[in-house]
Amino acid sequence: MKIGIIGAVAGLCNGLFGSGGGIIVVPSMIYLLKVEEHDAHATAIAVILPLSLASILIYFTNNYFDWNIVWKVCAGSVLGAGLGARLLPKIPVGILSRIFAVFMIMAGLRMLFR
């Protein structure tokens, strides 16, 4: 039940805000499901794929994409994802959690003070 609720909230956030895998799933798995942090980050990546596919289907059918931007961001994202996946196991949990917290705080502040 708890896992299903986490998934539903993550899906809702992904559909509304374009994020949910990392922002919702990672902290939920760490604090509610007691998953080790490295595993939570890696598992969130697997969760993001079906979240994104569901959202993409709806956004695509409503023609919300700027394909010129999509292709360019995708190219950089693939390179960054490969680098991040290789670095994840090498970063100690304490540092990983602080880096993640800083990104979440920065994103929150940016949205609050736009």
Side-chain angles (χ1 to χ4, degrees):
M1 178 86 169
K2 195 185 307 186
I3 294 172
I5 292 170
I6 292 168
V9 171
L12 178 67
C13 289
N14 189 69
L16 285 173
F17 311 125
S19 64
I23 292 173
I24 302 299
V25 174
V26 171
S28 296
M29 287 192 329
I30 292 169
Y31 298 112
L32 300 176
L33 304 179
K34 307 300 181 203
V35 174
E36 194 275 320
E37 189 152 346
H38 284 92
D39 293 343
H41 284 272
T43 303
I45 296 302
V47 169
I48 288 169
L49 179 61
L51 287 176
S52 295
L53 290 174
S55 297
I56 285 169
L57 179 64
I58 293 167
Y59 293 149
F60 180 77
T61 58
N62 289 292
N63 199 30
Y64 288 142
F65 295 133
D66 180 336
W67 288 104
N68 189 43
I69 294 172
V70 168
W71 299 122
K72 291 173 185 173
V73 172
C74 281
S77 297
V78 168
L79 295 172
L83 178 61
R86 291 186 194 284
L87 288 174
L88 178 66
K90 298 175 182 173
I91 299 173
V93 170
I95 294 172
L96 181 64
S97 126
R98 284 181 181 84
I99 292 169
F100 186 66
V102 166
F103 275 102
M104 288 182 64
I105 290 167
M106 287 172 47
L109 289 172
R110 184 176 179 277
M111 297 193 80
L112 278 173
F113 299 108
R114 271 184 99 178

